[in-house]
Amino acid sequence: MEPFTEHRRVSGPNVYGFLRLVNVSPAREAALKESLAEYCRQHELTLSGLFTERVTTADSAAFTGLMDVLEVPGTYGVVLPSASHLGPRAIAAGRGKRIAATGARLLLVRKETPGPAPHRRRPSPGGYQAWQRGHGPAPALEAES
């Protein structure tokens, strides 16, 4: 008996990863690469290659290589850990426009939210448990039948 289609390996749309790794430890580099691979697995994408930039210049060899593969038929997009991997703002804006001009999608593992971070309240002097019990919505109770 043949397995169901959902249980067979199928290749998803081809994407290419791009990492800007300036003064990054080997452990951090490995974690970033794994995050791209995991994102692609979860979203059924085929990570066809990874371009790594060690020095940020507008036309680095890594970015030029990325732009070249985006012209290959069947390429779906670029996957980045976050938008900051495109480089500093002045460079990132131009790079984003160049990627968009190819028709490729720009996929971010972690989307950054603009503006200040949300305010978090601190626990009361009674401790975390007292703070947790006294604030926030009450849990819903099941209705009796």
Side-chain angles (χ1 to χ4, degrees):
M1 195 173 186
E2 286 284 315
F4 293 113
T5 303
E6 291 84 10
H7 296 274
R8 294 184 189 174
R9 290 205 167 265
V10 294
S11 61
N14 294 322
V15 296
Y16 292 87
F18 187 78
L19 295 173
R20 184 174 64 95
L21 303 176
V22 180
N23 298 324
V24 173
S25 71
R28 176 76 175 144
E29 180 177 346
L32 288 168
K33 288 178 179 179
E34 181 54 34
S35 74
L36 294 182
E38 181 59 28
Y39 178 87
C40 290
R41 275 191 294 275
Q42 288 176 355
H43 295 277
E44 299 178 349
L45 301 168
T46 300
L47 185 58
S48 298
L50 180 63
F51 294 87
T52 305
E53 180 176 75
R54 304 282 177 187
V55 179
T56 303
T57 59
D59 290 322
S60 70
F63 189 74
T64 300
L66 175 67
M67 293 306 298
D68 288 344
V69 298
L70 293 182
E71 298 297 332
V72 173
T75 299
Y76 181 73
V78 179
V79 62
L80 305 164
S82 65
S84 65
H85 280 264
L86 284 177
R89 285 185 186 201
I91 293 174
R95 285 181 171 183
K97 288 177 184 175
R98 288 179 62 189
I99 291 170
T102 68
R105 300 239 175 160
L106 188 59
L107 307 167
L108 303 177
V109 172
R110 185 183 75 223
K111 293 180 177 63
E112 296 155 345
T113 55
H119 177 69
R120 295 183 185 210
R121 296 189 314 200
R122 293 186 181 187
S124 64
Y128 182 75
Q129 294 295 332
W131 173 70
Q132 191 177 27
R133 282 191 311 263
H135 296 86
L141 300 175
E142 292 184 21
E144 292 183 27
S145 30

